[in-house]
Every structure is written in C-alpha cells, then in structure tokens.
C-alpha cells in the first residue's frame, strides 16, 4: 500500500509541509530578523504552497516573531549609524525587503535632516585625509561620489563636501577649482 493511498495520508503530508515551513522560518529568524515578505519568498523557493505559507506566516506574526515595523526601525537605525546610509538608500532597502509604505515611512522618520547631515559630515571627515595631495576637483568628486553611493541627496552632499574642503585648506586658491564640481546642485 503506497503512502498516498493510506487514510489520512494527505492530512499528514499537509502537516509535514506546514511543520517544515515553520522550521524553515524559525531557522531563518534565528540568523536575523526577517520581514514577512522575505520569509514568504524563502517558502516559495522551497515550493511551499501559498495557503500553507500564509497560515505559517500568520501564526508567526500573531505570536510576534515576525514584525515588519520593528525590522524596519532596526534596519534604519543600524544602517544609518553603522554604515552611514542616508534615507534614500534606506528606503530602497526597505522596499527590497518588502516592508510596506507606512512601516517604511515611520522607520525613515526616525532619521532627521540633522541626523543625516551630521552623518554625512562624519563620513566626509573620515575620508577627507585620504584625499589630501589630490587636486581639489578630484577630492570633491570622490567625496560627493561616496555620499551619493550611500544615498545622500546631491545638494546635501555638495554642501557638506564644500564645507569640509574649505575647512581643510583655508585660503587655498586651488579650492575654487574644486568648487566648480560642487556648483549648486
């Protein structure tokens, strides 16, 4: 007698699939906090039926193991503080992870304009010494590019770099050439 012809076998198989899905989610959650969308994608890659994934994710959400809002705030706080990401890059990362617009907005609101400008200044101050000896336009381009890759708006990046270069070489006539690169963005 095959497994599928036993009475109750289909129900047992469904329980096994649900148990496997739950185990996969719990294993992923032990590595790092995950959004519901990330877990749903992982379950889909494993071939877990949508209705089973929905039940498992619903239960994990109900008991508080899956909380997109908390993941969003945690990610924004850590990436801004540790990696210097600006709100633009943070917003893209939240969308990539499947955080809904409202949770993303609340999380991004934890980073103020002042926080963003202060972090940009700190990033530029850390990188500035490695650019000494280079022409001002090269210094400016590299520093603005670094901030752009981290998602900083061009106007803020140009202003911060202009201030840093002026403070680094007060009265330097060559600095005006670097300012051409930093024309009001």
């Amino acid at each position: 007698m095959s497994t599928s012809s036993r009475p109750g076998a289909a129900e047992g198989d469904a329980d096994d699939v649900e148990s496997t899905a739950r185990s996969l989610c719990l294993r992923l959650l032990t590595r790092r906090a995950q959004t519901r969308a990330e877990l749903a994608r992982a379950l889909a890659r494993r071939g877990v039926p949508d209705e089973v994934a929905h039940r498992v994710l619903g239960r994990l959400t109900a008991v508080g193991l899956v909380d997109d809002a908390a993941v969003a705030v945690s990610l924004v706080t850590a990436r801004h503080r540790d990696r210097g990401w600006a709100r633009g890059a943070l917003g893209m990362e939240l969308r990539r992870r499947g955080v809904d617009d409202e949770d993303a907005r609340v999380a991004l609101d934890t980073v103020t304009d002042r926080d963003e400008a202060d972090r940009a200044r700190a990033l530029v101050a850390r990188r500035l010494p490695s650019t000494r000896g280079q022409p001002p336009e090269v210094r400016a381009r590299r520093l603005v590019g670094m901030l752009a890759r981290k998602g900083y708006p061009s106007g803020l990046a140009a202003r911060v770099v202009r201030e840093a270069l002026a403070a680094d070489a007060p009265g330097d006539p060559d600095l005006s050439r670097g300012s051409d690169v930093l024309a009001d963005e």
Side-chain angles (χ1 to χ4, degrees):
M1 178 183 244
S2 77
T3 316
S4 61
S5 63
R6 285 186 321 205
E11 185 178 308
D13 291 345
D15 288 342
D16 288 347
V17 170
E18 192 164 328
S19 176
T20 300
R22 190 173 32 259
S23 294
L24 173 62
C25 288
L26 292 173
R27 190 171 50 249
L28 290 171
L29 288 168
T30 60
R31 292 182 188 160
R32 71 166 172 82
Q34 307 247 341
T35 64
R36 186 178 176 113
E38 288 175 305
L39 293 171
R41 285 191 292 267
L43 292 173
R45 279 192 304 270
R46 291 287 180 98
V48 174
D50 289 342
E51 62 278 356
V52 173
H54 184 73
R55 270 196 317 273
V56 168
L57 293 173
R59 178 71 182 132
L60 292 174
T61 301
V63 299
L65 291 174
V66 177
D67 183 351
D68 286 1
V71 170
V73 169
S74 176
L75 182 135
V76 165
T77 302
R79 296 281 166 90
H80 178 70
R81 180 192 62 232
D82 300 339
R83 296 185 185 177
W85 287 14
R87 286 179 293 211
L90 293 166
M92 288 188 332
E93 179 67 8
L94 292 174
R95 279 189 294 283
R96 187 186 70 75
R97 289 190 180 205
V99 175
D100 71 43
D101 291 340
E102 179 60 21
D103 288 339
R105 186 191 58 73
V106 169
L108 291 170
D109 284 348
T110 64
V111 177
T112 66
D113 290 343
R114 184 183 185 115
D115 294 335
E116 199 167 58
D118 289 346
R119 193 65 179 107
R121 283 184 191 94
L123 290 167
V124 168
R126 191 177 77 209
R127 181 69 59 91
L128 192 63
S130 69
T131 66
R132 286 196 182 110
Q134 297 172 347
E137 61 275 4
V138 172
R139 295 178 82 190
R141 187 177 62 245
R142 289 185 178 172
L143 293 168
V144 168
M146 181 257 312
L147 291 176
R149 286 186 298 278
K150 292 183 178 285
Y152 288 88
S154 60
L156 172 64
R159 186 178 75 243
V160 166
V161 169
R162 189 179 311 114
E163 292 167 1
L165 289 174
D168 191 50
D172 185 348
D174 287 339
L175 186 59
S176 61
R177 286 187 297 145
S179 296
D180 294 343
V181 174
L182 303 173
D184 289 327
E185 302 281 324

